[in-house]
Amino acid sequence: MLETLTDNWDLFVEAFRTTVLLLIVSGAISLVAGTLLGAMRVSPVPALRTAGTAYVTLLRNTPLTFVFFFVAFGFPRLDIRFSYFAFAVVALSAYTSAFVCEAVRSGINTVHVGQAEAARAIGMTFGQTLTQVVLPQALRAAVPPVMSVIIALAKNTTIASGFGVMEAGAIGATLNERGYPAFDAMIWVAVGFVIVVLPLSLTQRRLERAVVRSR
Amino acid sequence: MSTVLYDAAGPRARNRYRLYGLLTTLAVVAVLAYVVWKFYDTGQFSGRKWSIFQYEQVQRTLLSGLGNTLKAAATGAVLALAFGVLFAFARLSDRAWVRVPAGLVVELFRALPVVVMIFLIYYGTLANAGSASTFWSVVIALTIYNGSVLAEVFRAGIAAVPRGQSEAAYAIGLRKSQVLRMILLPQAVRAMLPAIISQLVVLLKDTALGFLITYRELLTEARQLASYGEFEFPTIPVAIVVGAIYIVICLALSLVATWLERRNRERGRRRTADRNVQMGAGEPDAGA
């Protein structure tokens, strides 16, 4: 059991590094894209709202595995060729930004109506109201739900293992080929994920309580 | 509520919004045009590629894939709901030796990726029994993950029932198990129904993870069909059809959840209004 880990320490480190890299890159892209989408969905321009809503509805009702399928197998048929890692980033970001958008929007909805009304009353434009009054408060309220989305993203990176990316989810199959018990390998992968995800979950819960208390 | 973010537009703002709207429409049209052109350029609209759907065998394959997806989702949903209720009760137990392990189990399974659980069950049974059922690997993994999430949903729902309910139930002499089963759970389920259905949508979507261990659900069959050389490898047509199937099913379920949410809210408001009338209008009310 233990030698499955110790013999292949390099593989574990390499794979988990890829997982964390996937998490950071697609996390950063999703945060930016999701916030933009959230702003689109509350904007005064109907076309922007419709476009944002359509994107979010479509992506939220699609399995992530299918998004991976479309990107990793479909894009090459369209003569779009990147590395498997880049494909995984595209799939994860496209999917996660829809969920970040919803988290941000729920944050905007928690900001008291009076805040926006007061901002308007002193003559601020939509852009000013949003960036100087509503978003700073909304983002604070949105931190716990966004954290949940990021935790889900951390777990979702394992799907990339089915689409050519050598990350933590693929350790079992790789070690199986090397003649090590795949079950033991996956136990260690599970331990690794608990180590990565549990601190995130605990922080998230503390932040959640802090936001509730501050109100 | 987002409408309070901006004033009703004046003539200048209206022109500006119109301009932004036009630009957005142009951008969306440009993106769609690029996609269509790209499809056209790489021959995705060729009749040969799409003719694959004319064959009865192919239609049967897609239907059987869809059937397997729904079968895994339905089995997983029933088991996950049972798991959720069981562990929610266990976490609310008065006995620490029930409460603490149940809490640990729920926390652990929520921290693990479903993919890892599927592989664990699959490789585990493969090593011990010599063969493994892909169906049960998917269903059990979905059950313990979504069951753990649902346990938290139920627990939150039970905690949100006004305390007077359980106090009244205890006062008329019900035991704790009776209070939970007859008084708290029915109210919690009704309040949490939208959240429960959203979680079932997640479960349905996650059946696609069966693809990773070649459980013959919709996506696995799609990959099979996409590899047919005699139809010029119709990956894109197959993906469009399969994606549409997924979106229609999940969207239908999501719409049920939103509808229930709206109904709950309206009902709550009506009930509060009734109570206000009884107590005299304008009386402050903490209900709903």
Side-chain angles (χ1 to χ4, degrees), chain A:
Chain A
M1 178 93 201
L2 194 59
E3 63 254 30
T4 309
L5 178 65
T6 49
D7 290 1
N8 301 290
W9 184 248
D10 293 348
L11 177 74
F12 274 90
V13 171
E14 195 54 45
F16 267 99
R17 184 183 297 154
T18 311
T19 296
V20 172
L21 206 61
L22 268 179
L23 171 61
I24 293 175
V25 177
S26 11
I29 296 175
S30 320
L31 283 181
V32 175
T35 312
L36 283 177
L37 275 171
M40 277 170 73
R41 288 200 65 179
V42 299
S43 79
V45 184
L48 276 175
R49 278 204 303 268
T50 313
T53 311
Y55 179 84
V56 170
T57 311
L58 228 58
L59 266 290
R60 278 193 357 141
N61 287 294
T62 316
L64 177 55
T65 323
F66 172 78
V67 180
F68 263 101
F69 182 93
F70 194 88
V71 171
F73 300 149
F75 278 18
R77 296 257 170 269
L78 300 172
D79 287 331
I80 304 172
R81 280 166 222 282
F82 294 122
S83 68
Y84 282 126
F85 183 84
F87 277 151
V89 168
V90 171
L92 286 169
S93 314
Y95 182 81
T96 311
S97 45
F99 287 84
V100 171
C101 164
E102 287 306 276
V104 170
R105 209 166 64 101
S106 77
I108 291 178
N109 282 336
T110 62
V111 178
H112 201 272
V113 182
Q115 298 286 329
E117 281 173 349
R120 275 171 41 197
I122 59 169
M124 287 179 145
T125 63
F126 168 69
Q128 286 173 321
T129 310
L130 200 62
T131 55
Q132 292 178 31
V133 177
V134 176
L135 269 188
Q137 301 181 62
L139 287 182
R140 207 174 45 172
V143 166
V146 167
M147 276 286 276
S148 305
V149 173
I150 296 298
I151 293 170
L153 170 65
K155 297 190 281 181
N156 284 338
T157 54
T158 47
I159 298 175
S161 66
F163 298 88
V165 181
M166 185 47 228
E167 49 75 61
I171 288 177
T174 314
L175 288 189
N176 204 20
E177 283 163 25
R178 292 194 195 171
Y180 288 90
F183 178 74
D184 296 4
M186 290 316 285
I187 290 277
W188 290 115
V189 173
V191 172
F193 266 99
V194 170
I195 295 172
V196 173
V197 171
L198 221 48
L200 284 176
S201 306
L202 293 179
T203 329
Q204 190 254 352
R205 227 161 293 167
R206 187 162 324 136
L207 287 171
E208 206 159 32
R209 273 199 296 272
V211 169
V212 170
R213 228 179 301 131
S214 74
R215 219 175 285 130

Side-chain angles (χ1 to χ4, degrees), chain B residues 82-132:
Chain B
F83 187 104
V85 172
L86 196 70
F87 275 78
F89 281 0
R91 288 200 79 174
L92 290 166
S93 166
D94 291 329
R95 295 175 186 80
W97 61 270
V98 177
R99 193 175 58 231
V100 174
L104 283 177
V105 166
V106 168
E107 290 300 322
L108 175 70
F109 286 147
R110 287 201 315 158
L112 285 183
V114 184
V115 178
V116 171
M117 285 190 239
I118 290 179
F119 281 152
L120 268 177
I121 297 165
Y122 182 70
Y123 289 134
T125 44
L126 200 61
N128 291 320
S131 70

Side-chain angles (χ1 to χ4, degrees), chain B residues 24 38 67 213 234 278:
Chain B
T24 315
K38 198 80 190 162
I213 53 168
Q278 283 165 12

Side-chain angles (χ1 to χ4, degrees), chain B residues 164-185:
Chain B
Q165 294 287 325
S166 56
E167 282 171 353
Y170 282 122
I172 59 170
L174 296 182
R175 271 177 284 116
K176 173 151 185 182
S177 61
Q178 288 176 309
V179 174
L180 270 179
R181 190 164 45 85
M182 294 160 58
I183 308 295
L184 296 179
L185 189 65

Side-chain angles (χ1 to χ4, degrees), chain B residues 176-206:
Chain B
K176 173 151 185 182
S177 61
Q178 288 176 309
V179 174
L180 270 179
R181 190 164 45 85
M182 294 160 58
I183 308 295
L184 296 179
L185 189 65
Q187 299 189 54
V189 166
R190 170 178 262 166
M192 297 314 249
L193 209 48
I196 293 168
I197 293 183
S198 306
Q199 194 56 39
L200 294 184
V201 175
V202 171
L203 189 150
L204 176 63
K205 281 164 54 178
D206 278 354

